[in-house]
Amino acid sequence: MNEFDFIRRLREQTESRKRSPRVIKGIGDDASVIREVGDRDLIITTDLLVEGTDFYRDATPPTLLGHKALAVSLSDVAAMGARPRWSMVSIGLPVEIWRNDFKESFFAGYLALADQYGVTLVGGDVSESKEQIVVDSIVIGEVSPGGAVLRSTAQPGDQFFVTGNLGSAAAGLKLIERGARVSSPTVREGHASRREAGGRRQDLEPRAVATGFYYDAYTTEGDTIERLVLRQLRPQPRVGWGIVLGEEHLATSMVDISDGLSSDLGHLCRESNVGALIESANIPIDEDVRKICGRRALDPLALALHGGEDFELLFTVSRENVARLPKRVDGVSISQIGEITRESDIRLAEKNRVWELKPQGFEHFKHVG
């Protein structure tokens, strides 16, 4: 199958799905055509995933890579308080990867998540790369005029919140680096049958298995490792929360947690010319992270503060609007973890101690002089 055969097949797949009625021309021309409406602002974001930097080929099944490629861009759109509408994805593959079913599995994962949020794939590109897999994801969303939630509009006195729990994606990456992998349940059929016989749930998701350290994938610790590894490989963008916070005019500012709480809060504070005080005890650390860290000399708080790739939303709310916040959206709760201050520094309060928190999240080219 050559490039154009594959694009034709992908075009057929996208045209057979539920699609945005405003797509005049999707895949198949030099560019896509989308009908513009006068009362909406467009939100456009792009994300690059490079093998060896953003993912490991041997640790990332192509279905999950497809999911993550779209998820990270959906998270950006959510952080703007927008509804995602359309997407594009470009992928560079080495010849040996092109020859197997990687591309089909990649797009199966990508399109499944697109279907979940009503996103139409309208274009992209395919190229041959020499060694590495490279993925470029673009998502376009919409908000009402002037309705985008920016990083630069937090005010002193605002309370700030995070969705979900923190630290699990970073813990999952640590486990992957120590040998944990996910494996299709069909490969582990004996284990799946044993679980069904014991009255436990049937495996519908990839299971975490390990090389380099031992554990039973079907004990409590095995389940914990599975969940953490999948939080790294299959993040869940908080699209619903983004829409609620934007359309209900609840958030005064917002950012998604991709680089780590300490770094992304720093981005928000810097853009808004404010500081922040974080209450350490209020940070929602994933219970699976607490379980796994004790035996592996890992610090749960450090993973929650600096780990990154949780793709939760960090947002600020004025005091008068805090009571209007819903308790949950799409089953996901929020935690109030601090307050925006006039000072320019970010401080962490733990019991009777308060100290300055420096950003220690991920940063490309950090060690380049």
Side-chain angles (χ1 to χ4, degrees), residues 84-120:
R85 297 296 192 189
W86 309 283
S87 71
M88 294 181 164
V89 62
S90 297
I91 185 166
L93 297 174
V95 172
E96 68 272 15
I97 299 298
W98 178 264
R99 288 180 177 142
N100 62 32
D101 61 357
F102 180 99
K103 54 191 179 296
E104 288 81 8
S105 296
F106 174 92
F107 278 101
Y110 185 99
L111 292 172
L113 186 60
D115 290 345
Q116 182 178 340
Y117 291 109
V119 173
T120 302

Side-chain angles (χ1 to χ4, degrees), residues 59-352:
T60 312
T63 303
L64 299 186
L65 181 61
H67 172 105
K68 187 170 184 176
L70 179 58
V72 297
S73 296
L74 289 176
S75 184
D76 285 334
V77 170
M80 304 298 290
R83 288 181 179 268
R85 297 296 192 189
W86 309 283
S87 71
M88 294 181 164
V89 62
S90 297
I91 185 166
L93 297 174
V95 172
E96 68 272 15
I97 299 298
W98 178 264
R99 288 180 177 142
N100 62 32
D101 61 357
F102 180 99
K103 54 191 179 296
E104 288 81 8
S105 296
F106 174 92
F107 278 101
Y110 185 99
L111 292 172
L113 186 60
D115 290 345
Q116 182 178 340
Y117 291 109
V119 173
T120 302
L121 177 63
V122 296
D125 199 5
V126 176
S127 182
E128 178 184 335
S129 62
K130 295 305 178 185
E131 295 181 358
Q132 294 172 304
I133 298 169
V134 180
V135 183
D136 179 38
S137 171
I138 297 172
V139 170
I140 304 169
E142 288 184 317
V143 295
S144 59
V149 183
L150 308 179
R151 299 179 179 184
S152 56
T153 44
Q155 297 295 320
D158 285 353
Q159 308 298 294
F160 61 91
F161 297 75
V162 292
T163 59
N165 297 308
L166 302 180
S168 52
L173 179 58
K174 294 288 187 184
L175 291 168
I176 287 170
E177 290 173 342
R178 297 183 182 200
R181 297 291 183 266
V182 292
S183 176
S184 167
T186 57
V187 176
R188 301 181 59 85
E189 186 175 351
H191 283 291
S193 299
R194 186 175 67 189
R195 285 167 61 86
E196 292 167 34
R200 301 177 67 184
R201 65 174 173 81
Q202 181 180 1
D203 269 327
L204 297 177
E205 300 290 350
R207 297 290 304 180
V209 297
T211 58
F213 63 89
Y214 172 78
Y215 71 93
D216 183 342
Y218 294 91
T219 63
T220 301
E221 180 166 279
D223 289 339
T224 299
I225 290 173
E226 172 196 353
R227 288 190 295 267
L228 293 174
V229 170
L230 288 175
R231 276 299 303 270
Q232 166 61 217
L233 299 180
R234 193 190 59 200
Q236 300 301 319
R238 304 310 185 192
V239 174
W241 265 112
I243 292 170
V244 169
L245 292 168
E247 295 185 355
E248 298 297 323
H249 306 289
L250 292 169
T252 56
S253 67
M254 187 154 49
V255 64
D256 79 325
I257 301 178
S258 54
D259 298 324
L261 175 61
S262 64
S263 291
D264 290 312
L265 179 58
H267 299 327
L268 186 149
C269 288
R270 186 163 46 254
E271 290 296 318
S272 294
N273 294 311
V274 295
L277 176 64
I278 306 173
E279 293 292 340
S280 173
N282 294 347
I283 295 173
I285 301 175
D286 193 305
E287 284 304 314
D288 286 335
V289 174
R290 296 185 189 277
K291 291 177 187 176
I292 217 72
C293 282
R295 299 183 183 181
R296 291 170 175 82
L298 299 173
D299 180 356
L301 181 59
L303 292 176
L305 286 172
H306 312 303
E309 294 211 294
D310 285 308
F311 296 104
E312 300 292 350
L313 296 179
L314 167 66
F315 59 95
T316 60
V317 180
S318 63
R319 286 184 179 275
E320 57 267 27
N321 278 333
V322 168
R324 294 178 54 211
L325 288 169
K327 300 296 184 185
R328 292 177 177 269
V329 173
D330 296 334
V332 178
S333 62
I334 55 175
S335 301
Q336 182 176 344
I337 63 170
E339 181 173 320
I340 297 299
T341 63
R342 295 188 183 279
E343 296 81 7
S344 60
D345 59 342
I346 298 174
R347 292 169 295 153
L348 182 70
E350 187 173 13
K351 296 181 179 178
N352 297 324

Side-chain angles (χ1 to χ4, degrees), residues 36-54:
E36 186 179 10
V37 294
D39 62 344
R40 309 297 286 173
D41 288 346
L42 291 182
I43 304 296
I44 305 171
T45 187
T46 184
D47 289 279
L48 191 64
L49 298 180
V50 178
E51 180 186 345
T53 300
D54 302 291

